[in-house]
Amino acid sequence: MADIAVIGAGYVGLTLAVGAASMGHDVTVGEADPDRVADLMAGHCPLFEAGVGDLLREGLASGLLTFTRSNTDAVTAAEFVFLALPTPSAADGSADLSVLHAVVEELAPHLGERVLVLKSTVPVGTNRDVTARLRAADCTAPVVSNPEFLREGTALADFMRPDHVVVGGDDAEATAQVAALFDPDCPVTATDPMSAELVKYATNAYLATRVMMANSFADLCEALGADIDAVTAGLGRDHRIGPFFLQPGPGFGGSCFPKDARALLDLAADHGLDVPILAAAVKVNADRQERMAEAVLAEVAGVFEPVVGLWGLAFKAGTDDTRESPALRIGELIADRGATVQAYDPEASVGATDDGTHGGQTGVPIVEHDSALEAATGADVLVIATEWPEFTGEDLTEVAEAMRGDLVIDLRNLLDPEAVGAAGLRHRQIGKPEQE
Ligand code: UDX
């Protein structure tokens, strides 16, 4: 078992930390936010992420997991120092590495021969750049790129049972040590740092593009009278394609796909290159959300003081994250055009504004409610924008009675069409004929 430091207690760093401690590694987490450190030390998990809270409390109880505000204290006993720091989009779409660079500068005098591992998703070339910065500060620590592939909502399961591990570094021994740390039986791609960094971007770019292909096929199904479920089932059974990431919906969002797509396009542009297929996926995604908002507004055109119920705010089920959420964006586009949007999400919210309504990304007010039924009450149209399983347990007869209108626009193909019809509601799905 190893001594590990993790710098950054976001969903990647915290998942890594609690997972590593549960395997018996000794883990110290450096986190700059004092409130977050206090919460974590008290066993309160600041994230809505399945299983992480339980392992946090186990790790604290066993003594294998500790938190500190001091990054330099965190690395004192460590053999491996993982950086899991935010790399948000800068205004031009590139990744903002200022936090990462500041931490590298802070740690350089304290690293010695410890292995520095970059978990954060960083532009290709960053690991070599970090190595150069360390060498300029007379630090000889090896640097290893070890990108994460954790999905929000299933981050811990993805960490504990990864499909594969990618490591890239110029020091072969350090690279092999990092690969062997957590799951020695996992398939490993050991390569140079640039290739390791690109695997991460390529994965997200590929998946984002694939999701948008499925969405385009769904549009075609609607126009042609075909059924997207049959089309994706057939596609997915071809082993060259596989069944995953073909679910149509309101498009992709979250903290990774949109940001990583922008960063990859920015990186390509820096080298005089274009990635037109990825650029198209980004555009199709944005257009799709506009089009979906338009389709909802078309249903309430002419209605006096229209009301739209919105089930879901999170960018997908299983998380409280609303970053670049299609649900939130569609809600805001509708509210911006003058309809009242009544939202309910089991975990996510859009953030309070001064007047008690909620601002989200654009400041357009969305009214939040405490239950799915309340959000549907008085609605002319009900939009299902996040695929929370609990929505399938709602009493649709009650919903139908509470609504002013009778149309459910199901952007996730979540509800059972027969149950919706039996409640006297019309059900519009993605890539399906409308049920009247
Ligand atoms: C993603 C990557 O999967 C993960 O490996 C990476 O490290 C972080 O980014 P995450 O952002 O948690 O994870 O979400 P993911 O489950 O990949 O979904 C991304 C977006 O695509 C969501 O908006 C989701 O709703 C959408 N999606 C996904 C679909 O619309 N259809 C699908 O079939 C799959």
Side-chain angles (χ1 to χ4, degrees):
M1 292 298 138
D3 279 305
I4 291 171
V6 178
I7 309 300
Y11 98 100
V12 172
L14 195 54
T15 304
L16 162 68
V18 303
S22 78
M23 294 171 179
H25 297 292
D26 219 315
V27 183
T28 309
V29 182
E31 163 59 48
D33 177 348
D35 294 337
R36 204 167 179 93
V37 171
D39 271 357
L40 288 163
M41 287 300 284
H44 300 140
C45 182
L47 310 172
F48 179 75
E49 191 60 57
V52 171
D54 291 339
L55 288 194
L56 164 69
R57 289 178 283 279
E58 269 177 33
L60 290 169
S62 70
L64 286 174
L65 184 60
T66 46
F67 296 87
T68 169
R69 284 176 58 191
S70 161
N71 291 339
T72 52
D73 286 356
V75 305
T76 308
E79 300 154 73
F80 299 90
V81 177
F82 284 82
L83 300 189
L85 296 159
T87 54
S89 283
D92 63 357
S94 65
D96 176 354
L97 299 179
S98 51
V99 174
L100 180 86
H101 287 153
V103 170
V104 168
E105 194 179 324
E106 179 193 6
L107 290 181
H110 306 274
L111 285 177
E113 287 302 305
R114 293 168 180 82
V115 179
L116 185 68
V117 190
L118 264 62
K119 267 281 166 207
S120 318
T121 303
V122 287
V124 178
T126 303
N127 276 261
R128 288 248 168 98
D129 176 53
V130 165
T131 307
R133 284 167 187 254
L134 291 179
R135 302 296 175 264
D138 290 329
C139 170
T140 53
V143 178
V144 176
S145 165
N146 175 216
E148 59 81 15
F149 298 95
L150 312 178
R151 289 162 298 172
E152 290 187 38
T154 54
L156 190 60
D158 290 345
F159 174 75
M160 298 304 236
R161 287 176 298 282
D163 282 353
H164 66 131
V165 169
V166 176
V167 279
D170 293 319
D171 179 322
E173 194 187 335
T175 306
Q177 284 171 348
V178 173
L181 257 183
F182 301 124
D183 189 344
D185 300 326
C186 203
V188 174
T189 305
T191 181
D192 62 89
M194 320 283 274
S195 304
E197 290 164 334
L198 189 54
V199 171
K200 173 60 196 262
Y201 281 112
T203 303
N204 279 353
Y206 178 79
L207 290 173
T209 306
R210 184 177 159 104
V211 167
M212 295 326 289
M213 279 298 275
N215 280 317
S216 293
F217 297 148
D219 291 348
L220 276 168
C221 284
E222 284 172 31
L224 301 172
D227 181 335
I228 189 63
D229 284 349
V231 173
T232 53
L235 272 172
R237 286 189 179 119
D238 185 322
H239 77 276
R240 296 169 299 177
I241 297 173
F244 305 106
F245 277 71
L246 289 175
Q247 177 65 37
F252 61 76
S255 65
C256 290
F257 277 17
K259 173 171 77 77
D260 292 354
R262 284 194 294 270
L264 189 57
L265 291 169
D266 178 73
L267 199 66
D270 276 353
H271 292 81
L273 292 170
D274 192 5
V275 190
I277 294 174
L278 180 60
V282 170
K283 183 174 181 334
V284 171
N285 193 44
D287 290 353
R288 182 170 189 77
Q289 287 155 30
E290 301 256 356
R291 198 150 49 79
M292 290 187 153
E294 288 297 334
V296 174
L297 286 161
E299 292 298 331
V300 296
V303 175
F304 178 66
E305 296 185 349
V307 177
V308 173
L310 181 66
W311 284 4
L313 290 166
F315 81 94
K316 65 175 188 178
T319 176
D320 58 0
D321 199 337
T322 57
R323 280 176 286 178
E324 310 216 24
S325 168
L328 183 52
R329 176 162 162 73
I330 289 167
E332 287 181 335
L333 286 168
I334 296 169
D336 194 36
R337 295 274 298 274
T340 296
V341 176
Q342 305 182 156
Y344 168 71
D345 188 287
E347 295 296 335
S349 81
V350 288
T353 58
D354 292 343
D355 63 0
T357 57
H358 292 78
Q361 295 157 358
T362 62
V364 178
I366 286 179
V367 188
E368 285 190 73
H369 288 270
D370 293 332
S371 74
L373 183 60
E374 269 184 33
T377 300
D380 298 296
V381 177
L382 176 61
V383 178
I384 299 175
T386 310
E387 71 280 25
W388 285 104
E390 75 164 66
F391 293 152
T392 62
E394 291 298 323
D395 181 335
L396 294 176
T397 308
E398 240 181 351
V399 170
E401 278 164 12
M403 282 177 66
R404 186 161 66 183
D406 68 349
L407 179 62
V408 178
I409 300 185
D410 188 348
L411 303 181
R412 297 284 187 169
N413 292 357
L414 181 72
L415 300 184
D416 171 14
E418 277 188 23
V420 179
L425 293 166
R426 289 182 296 139
H427 192 201
R428 185 176 302 164
Q429 298 171 277
I430 302 285
K432 301 267 188 176
E434 185 163 345
Q435 312 281 314
E436 293 293 339

